[in-house]
Amino acid sequence: MAKSILKEWAGRFRSEATGVSAKTEWADQLTRARNAGPRMTNQTTIDPARHGPGTLAVHAGTYNDPITGAVGTPVFAATTFLFQKESYEAFDQGMIRDYPIYTRYGNPNQWAVQEKVAALEHAESAIVFSSGMAAISTTLLALTNKGGHIVTARDLYGGSYNLMREDMHQFGREVTFVDPMDIDAITAAVRSNTEVLFFETLTNPLLKFAPVKALAKLAAENNIFLVLDNTFLSPCCLTPVDDGAHVVIHSGTKYLNGHSDLIAGTAAGSRKYLDMIWAQMLKLGGSLNPQDCAILERGMKTLALRMKAHTENALALAEWLSRHPAVARVYHPALPGYPYPWAAESLTRGSGGMVSFEVKGGDKAGLKLMENLKLVHAATSLGGVESLISMPFNTSHSSLIDRQRREVGINPGLMRLSVGIEDIEDLKADLDRALGAIGDIRQ
């Protein structure tokens, strides 16, 4: 039975890789047909066009074990797999990504969760990594050449910004930082050697929604890659592939897993581009082990339910905070006066579970606020079932000097709140009590 499964492994769901041609010549030449997966014969395949994200999150990619009939993907805790005729053919034909040979190349647990990610992202293929930063660094190195150029922003997760500022030039890549909301400035930054536009769909920490469709048009017109980090929104709120993005990245640590107990990253897009990223991942070594893949797959099964609760709670808190006397300003895409009008057209499924706000009294008041919270935890990260709060000035954006933080818009007293799935009245009560404790500082 196992051999018959292997025979069908790489032959199903053949499709021609799609997507805008890359500027790099070696990407333009990748025209052969590829599997949309990789997929196993006994994996559940669901058409994303015919099913909603809740159904995809539960069922897509699940490996249906033909021996035991287990409901759910078993853990394949093996580093290596027996060679068969198909294995040697895979080496000969350059298709080792599609066969079980060695777990760093691919493992059934990786393929199961990757298929779920791909289905939710409306993408042909996906890869899981050992962290979100592994996903970002591997993708950018795979899609650029020495002497290439990347256009990006300072409005990035701190780790991404540091990679761009401190390391990319060491790899021979040039980087230009621009305002991610200014499509004219982004256009002006494009050069003859530009290979990638890299932005966050919803920026960290000020929740600026990037002009995704305009970025995709610019990338298509200039034959360059558009790589978007969609961590803050999740595929339940936005699927950038549908708008023309070539690769969509997530820190799987956050909403995808959703339980603050796993470090992981993902990339999704056209199979031919994901093959390039996969080949780079083999050399850099950022693969995700089978046990963690199983945890990520289990966490993703409740993604749609969790995102509904996150999104509803975040909007309710944003509206409540905007009326609180201790709060100077609230940042959330669904509030009146949000300055990026293109968001309304794109974020019809919700704006995610993040809220940022400035407290009166500056950073000292913000630190005291965190000291007085009980339900909301003062901790880094985001996207878990529990609410988490932090201050960018001394965590995610501590590498920026004061002037750079001001240029981005990070003012004193800025709080970044990852809203969990707790009862909304309990969260309001906790925040109200803590906000009341900073009154003496505000005076």
Side-chain angles (χ1 to χ4, degrees), residues 50 67 116 199 213 219 236 292 299 305 325 328 377 440:
R50 298 179 57 189
I67 305 299
K116 194 180 297 294
F199 296 99
K213 293 181 180 180
C236 291
D292 284 347
L305 284 174
H377 299 312
D440 56 330

Side-chain angles (χ1 to χ4, degrees), residues 38 96-98 102-107 110-111 113-114 125-143 264-267 273-289 293:
I96 61 174
R97 191 181 167 208
D98 292 275
Y102 184 63
T103 283
R104 183 161 56 88
Y105 304 162
N107 178 286
Q110 292 175 358
W111 295 330
V113 72
Q114 285 172 180
S125 186
I127 303 175
V128 289
F129 298 85
S130 55
S131 70
M133 283 307 304
I136 291 168
S137 58
T138 302
T139 296
L140 292 177
L141 289 175
L143 300 184
T266 71
Y273 302 143
L274 269 290
D275 279 355
M276 293 153 55
I277 297 167
W278 171 79
Q280 186 74 55
M281 184 269 290
L282 294 187
K283 290 174 280 189
L284 296 180
S287 58
L288 191 64
N289 69 71
C293 287

Side-chain angles (χ1 to χ4, degrees), residues 258-270:
H259 292 80
S260 302
D261 58 2
L262 172 74
I263 301 294
T266 71
S270 169

Side-chain angles (χ1 to χ4, degrees), residues 140-141 144-150 160-177:
L140 292 177
L141 289 175
T144 57
N145 297 309
K146 185 178 180 180
H149 175 240
I150 300 169
S160 301
Y161 173 72
N162 289 337
L163 172 70
M164 294 295 186
R165 182 176 64 92
E166 298 173 0
D167 299 300
M168 274 302 171
H169 70 281
Q170 304 281 9
F171 294 109
R173 278 73 164 170
E174 297 178 276
V175 178
T176 297
F177 296 97

Side-chain angles (χ1 to χ4, degrees), residues 72-119:
T73 306
V75 177
F76 291 81
T79 58
T80 191
F81 300 84
L82 292 176
F83 281 141
Q84 306 212 23
K85 177 176 178 291
E86 293 80 10
S87 309
Y88 294 111
E89 290 175 352
F91 277 106
D92 182 61
Q93 297 298 317
M95 296 177 65
I96 61 174
R97 191 181 167 208
D98 292 275
Y99 285 87
I101 295 171
Y102 184 63
T103 283
R104 183 161 56 88
Y105 304 162
N107 178 286
N109 289 106
Q110 292 175 358
W111 295 330
V113 72
Q114 285 172 180
E115 182 68 8
K116 194 180 297 294
V117 171

Side-chain angles (χ1 to χ4, degrees), residues 46-52 56 119 122:
I46 297 182
D47 183 359
R50 298 179 57 189
H51 297 88
L56 295 174
H122 301 173

